[in-house]
Amino acid sequence: MDISNKAADQAAMANRKYIHWQDEGVEKIPPNEAEDIQAVADQINAMQKAQYNRTHARTQGIVKGTLIIKDDLPKHLKQSMFEHGGEHAVVCRYSSEPGDPGLDDRIPQPRGFAMKVFNVPGEKFDSTKTAQDIEFNSTPALDLADAKTTKEIIDLRINYGSNKPELYKKLEARPDTDLQKFRDSVRNTHLESTRQYSQTAYRFGDYVAKYCLVPSGETQKKLYEETVKPDEHEPDILSQWLKNFHKAHDAEYLLQFQLCENLEDQPVEYAGKVWDPEKYPWQTVATLVIPKQDSFNYELKSFWEDHMRIDPWLGLKTLQPLGSPNRLRRVVYPASSKLRRMMNGKKEIHVHEMDQIPGPSLAMGSDFLKVN
């Protein structure tokens, strides 16, 4: 459920009791987690070496836009970078999650979305940064739900990934079978109509929350019924649809947060459970607007894949990633990026302002955006 802008709805949400991010029980580090995390880092690096240049999510499109933070948010939503209204330039990437760059779009799989938000004030984990990284996935629950699960599932994928019947036999012996098999049955639809989720929990100023990105443009909503048909469409149909859409239409998304109120019902350490949106509604804090543009600029695509890294630990301390999957990311993401750059002979560039990004520039302005 999404909360409307009606005063009564906002007042009701403001009066609810939200978990403070430092409350007891928000994070509980299990025994041997550090060993599990290191094992995952070793697994990922081994996969990278065995599958040279095939372990980075496939780019479906990259666009530039503006994140507009509402200036009339209620007090409980005026948290972290959303404390004050304003506009921030962003660069965004649509992707398919599996690392094979030749993956057929007709095969249902989770889809990703990532944003690098510029000119964000506040204390960062890396003090040299002025950008905030935010990443999403089209599935609300994360199958790699904690470090132990991640180690077990990646081990199965390494050993049985090319033998799906055998892999499924192993997955069906697990208590989380449905969670692990869900990725192969996701609704395969137009990326512009796909809702995106953080999956994991984050500090949200004083509180704990998950976030999501909701397509809100009327044209985007209509595209929800446009699903991929394997017998009719080409292997790169999602990229084609995305390029055709951005060439002809502006896009708009709502950035929403879902605050934590009950740690048993809304676990932070285990990301395999969806927080019930009927009991814990989504609340809008900002709007992402993307003007018409070429969503498949080859110079920008190469720059992103060769030099950039999106990492939720590159950003504000008041948006600290929480829970086991995020502690894992803090180790695995930079290790994976470092090895990939080394194998590809590329240097990571710490992008902290839009001027470092190649491709068409965008004229900022509250009247809306226009491509120069």
Side-chain angles (χ1 to χ4, degrees):
M1 182 173 70
D2 302 331
I3 285 298
S4 74
N5 290 324
K6 293 180 181 178
D9 289 337
Q10 295 288 356
M13 297 306 297
N15 292 326
R16 294 171 74 148
K17 184 173 176 56
Y18 298 115
I19 299 292
H20 192 279
W21 78 280
Q22 288 182 310
D23 282 351
E24 183 178 356
V26 170
E27 288 193 289
K28 296 180 180 179
I29 301 177
N32 304 317
E33 184 185 74
E35 290 84 352
D36 288 339
I37 289 175
Q38 185 57 53
V40 172
D42 294 341
Q43 288 172 323
I44 297 297
N45 282 353
M47 290 170 63
Q48 287 178 289
K49 293 174 182 177
Q51 303 173 28
Y52 173 68
N53 207 26
R54 294 173 68 87
T55 53
H56 188 263
R58 175 189 168 191
T59 298
Q60 299 284 7
I62 301 177
V63 292
K64 298 177 181 179
T66 295
L67 185 69
I68 303 172
I69 299 174
K70 300 174 63 172
D71 58 9
D72 60 347
L73 293 173
K75 184 178 180 180
H76 71 286
L77 296 180
K78 283 184 174 290
Q79 304 293 325
S80 186
M81 64 177 284
F82 307 98
E83 185 177 356
H84 304 288
E87 299 181 3
H88 298 270
V90 300
V91 61
C92 310
R93 176 175 178 251
Y94 300 86
S95 64
S96 287
E97 181 184 305
D100 186 348
L103 182 74
D104 194 320
D105 284 349
R106 296 170 295 187
I107 300 173
Q109 286 291 288
R111 312 300 178 186
F113 188 89
M115 290 197 301
K116 189 174 281 288
V117 187
F118 298 102
N119 300 317
V120 178
E123 186 179 4
K124 312 289 195 305
F125 284 101
D126 183 338
S127 61
T128 64
K129 302 286 185 181
T130 60
Q132 172 69 47
D133 287 3
I134 305 177
E135 63 176 4
F136 305 82
N137 190 279
S138 61
T139 57
L142 178 59
D143 49 2
L144 306 178
D146 54 30
K148 180 176 182 295
T149 301
T150 302
K151 182 180 71 172
E152 294 170 352
I153 294 302
I154 291 182
D155 184 62
L156 290 178
R157 291 177 184 172
I158 290 173
N159 290 301
Y160 305 104
S162 59
N163 186 344
K164 194 166 185 177
E166 190 63 27
L167 175 62
Y168 264 45
K169 187 184 298 184
K170 299 293 183 181
L171 294 179
E172 286 164 0
R174 294 178 55 88
D176 60 351
T177 300
D178 291 342
L179 175 66
Q180 298 305 330
K181 292 168 63 175
F182 181 70
R183 65 186 295 113
D184 294 328
S185 60
V186 295
R187 195 170 184 276
N188 202 9
T189 189
H190 200 298
L191 294 177
E192 228 18 82
S193 69
T194 301
R195 182 178 288 216
Q196 299 280 350
Y197 302 87
S198 69
Q199 299 182 312
T200 58
Y202 290 78
R203 177 183 175 185
F204 180 54
D206 291 337
Y207 307 119
V208 175
K210 291 185 178 182
Y211 52 78
C212 75
L213 202 62
V214 183
S216 55
E218 291 304 316
T219 305
Q220 292 164 265
K221 293 177 184 177
K222 293 175 183 176
L223 292 174
Y224 183 75
E225 299 306 322
E226 190 166 5
T227 56
V228 175
K229 299 177 177 59
D231 295 336
E232 299 179 17
H233 293 133
E234 298 178 3
D236 63 344
I237 186 61
L238 293 179
S239 292
Q240 289 184 33
W241 278 351
L242 199 64
K243 188 169 184 176
N244 291 339
F245 174 87
H246 281 292
K247 183 178 180 180
H249 302 282
D250 301 317
E252 180 180 290
Y253 294 86
L254 301 179
L255 179 60
Q256 300 182 329
F257 278 76
Q258 183 185 35
L259 275 66
C260 184
E261 302 177 52
N262 183 321
L263 288 171
E264 290 188 10
D265 210 18
Q266 299 172 279
V268 170
E269 288 296 332
Y270 182 78
K273 181 178 180 179
V274 176
W275 293 2
D276 186 345
E278 294 298 321
K279 293 175 66 175
Y280 312 106
W282 293 101
Q283 304 179 65
T284 300
V285 300
T287 302
L288 171 64
V289 291
I290 302 169
K292 300 173 189 176
Q293 60 192 280
D294 179 5
S295 66
F296 211 83
N297 179 287
Y298 285 94
E299 182 185 17
L300 179 51
K301 177 179 181 293
S302 295
F303 181 82
W304 186 299
E305 293 178 346
D306 290 343
H307 303 293
M308 286 179 61
R309 170 163 62 99
I310 292 290
D311 185 335
W313 286 96
L314 297 179
L316 291 165
K317 291 188 174 181
T318 53
L319 283 177
Q320 177 181 329
L322 300 173
S324 182
N326 281 321
R327 292 193 294 272
L328 183 148
R329 286 169 173 164
R330 194 172 194 179
V331 174
V332 170
Y333 277 21
S336 173
S337 177
K338 181 179 180 180
L339 180 60
R340 187 170 69 251
R341 313 293 176 198
M342 183 184 72
M343 291 193 302
N344 292 346
K346 305 294 182 180
K347 180 181 179 181
E348 181 172 319
I349 297 176
H350 298 291
V351 176
H352 55 83
E353 57 186 36
M354 185 65 89
D355 288 347
Q356 294 176 265
I357 306 286
S361 61
L362 297 179
M364 296 285 289
S366 57
D367 57 335
F368 203 63
L369 299 169
K370 295 180 176 63
V371 179
N372 289 336

